[in-house]
Amino acid sequence: MLKSFTPSPDLPALVIGAAGVDIVGRLRGELHPGSSTPAYIRSSFGGVARNVAENLAHLGQAVTLITAVGQDEDGERLIQALQAAGVNTQAILRTDQYATGAYLGVLNADGSLQFALDDMRAINALTAGYLRQRSDLFKSASLLFVDANLPKETLRTALALARRARLPVCADPTSASLAERLIPYLSRLYLIAPNAAEAEILCGGEVKISGPRQAIQAAKHLVGQGVEIAIVTMAERGVCYATSETSGHIPAIRTTLIDPTGAGDALTATVIFALLNNIPLDDAVRLGVSAASLTLRYNGAVVPDLTLEKLYDQLVI
């Protein structure tokens, strides 16, 4: 393990960020603008932080989620589903200012994402003051995970509370439009897991990623900025990673693509779980690739019966 992190798997992981409802449509043919197009449509619960929290719970890790949902039926059902999965939901904020967050994705007939819309305004109710009121959760956690949906002041406060509690911080840039929010904090991050587009932004445009070689270069650049573990995902081209001591590339598992939603969140959650349980980084990333592959084959954001045994069954050698 890296010297700055002493794993404490018996303590809960603290996860802070977005939660909402995913509505995803997979086209059955060519998209016709201005007209209704036949598609397969499904809905499930999503949001980066929510997905990471549920995946951790399925793997057997104690986890507490801080997010904000509306005072509506979607928010109530979302909380109930998390509780059923084993996530501690006591710190979830219910707000009457906004509806529960929503994500709308359109997939091509081959399963790849064509475009997506999201409405995560509810997360604006999650203020810095609210986090300060729950500072006890930082003191009793094993690590902190944040996604970049958080308002800037809330994100700053979350990292300050983590520093005070001496917690390692893991982060997900969430999208190309939000990735810049994490740039001021790179030196304070234990782990970051961007996709290729997000990594280019985090690197300040100094690296253009066209394959594994450039992805490793980007990961090393992020390590040079102070990140301890940088993982860059490249969809069907696999995953690259780097620390100050090592770097590598894990190829993607050839699999049928049903729905890419949540695959990156599954990878991140699995790597976090593995590191908390003293699994070496190389193996942790391989397990993460397995989790992403399972999620790609599932018609939803989180595989409900995800287990460590399932991950080992299709581990990339």
Side-chain angles (χ1 to χ4, degrees):
M1 297 304 302
L2 300 181
K3 57 188 176 182
S4 66
F5 179 31
T6 302
S8 303
D10 295 333
L11 298 177
L14 180 59
V15 175
I16 308 178
V21 177
D22 287 348
I23 300 173
V24 177
R26 179 169 175 165
L27 300 174
R28 292 166 55 187
E30 186 178 346
L31 179 66
H32 300 289
S35 177
S36 178
T37 302
Y40 303 101
I41 299 175
R42 62 91 177 161
S43 65
S44 66
F45 296 115
V48 172
R50 195 217 69 86
N51 293 346
V52 167
E54 185 180 344
N55 277 303
L56 283 169
H58 288 317
L59 290 170
Q61 175 63 44
V63 57
T64 299
L65 175 64
I66 301 180
T67 188
V69 298
Q71 292 277 10
D72 49 32
E73 185 178 347
D74 284 337
E76 183 63 34
R77 289 173 49 245
L78 185 150
I79 290 173
Q80 290 176 359
L82 284 169
Q83 291 171 344
V87 176
N88 184 332
T89 63
Q90 293 181 355
I92 292 180
L93 176 67
R94 303 293 302 272
T95 176
D96 58 7
Q97 295 177 271
Y98 307 99
T100 295
Y103 167 90
L104 176 64
V106 175
L107 310 180
N108 290 326
D110 64 4
S112 59
L113 182 66
Q114 179 160 343
F115 61 83
L117 307 173
D118 68 74
D119 180 354
M120 292 296 171
R121 288 174 296 165
I123 202 68
N124 291 323
L126 200 62
T127 63
Y130 183 78
L131 290 191
R132 292 190 194 99
Q133 293 171 15
R134 308 313 300 260
S135 61
D136 57 309
L137 296 175
F138 290 79
K139 298 171 185 175
S140 60
S142 56
L143 57 73
L144 171 67
F145 170 88
V146 294
D147 73 37
N149 283 295
L150 291 173
K152 292 181 180 180
E153 182 60 30
T154 307
L155 178 62
R156 184 182 303 117
T157 298
L159 269 69
L161 290 169
R163 173 179 279 183
R164 200 170 305 160
R166 306 175 75 89
L167 288 182
V169 178
C170 306
D172 189 302
T174 305
S175 69
S177 62
L178 295 174
E180 285 186 349
R181 292 186 181 183
L182 294 178
I183 292 177
Y185 307 110
L186 291 176
S187 64
R188 295 159 65 176
L189 298 182
Y190 176 69
L191 180 149
I192 193 166
N195 63 25
E198 295 158 357
E200 290 182 357
I201 292 169
L202 291 169
C203 291
E206 294 186 26
V207 182
K208 295 298 180 184
I209 299 173
S210 58
R213 184 175 64 83
Q214 295 85 1
I216 290 177
Q217 182 184 351
K220 288 181 175 179
H221 178 94
L222 293 172
V223 170
Q225 299 301 305
V227 176
E228 293 222 33
I229 301 173
I231 299 173
V232 179
T233 62
M234 299 177 296
E236 71 277 0
R237 306 196 73 170
V239 176
C240 292
Y241 62 95
T243 71
S244 60
E245 301 171 351
T246 187
S247 63
H249 169 238
I250 307 296
I253 298 173
R254 292 176 64 91
T255 188
T256 301
L257 175 58
I258 293 178
D259 187 339
T261 312
D265 305 333
L267 183 146
T268 303
T270 299
V271 171
I272 290 172
F273 172 81
L275 295 175
L276 279 171
N277 286 274
N278 279 304
I279 295 174
L281 178 60
D282 291 351
D283 292 336
V285 178
R286 285 181 170 85
L287 288 169
V289 171
S290 293
S293 176
L294 286 169
T295 307
L296 289 171
R297 300 201 300 265
Y298 179 69
N299 200 20
V302 175
V303 177
D305 57 350
L306 186 70
T307 63
L308 194 57
E309 291 73 23
K310 274 198 166 191
L311 297 180
Y312 273 114
D313 282 346
Q314 60 166 21
L315 192 64
V316 178
I317 305 301

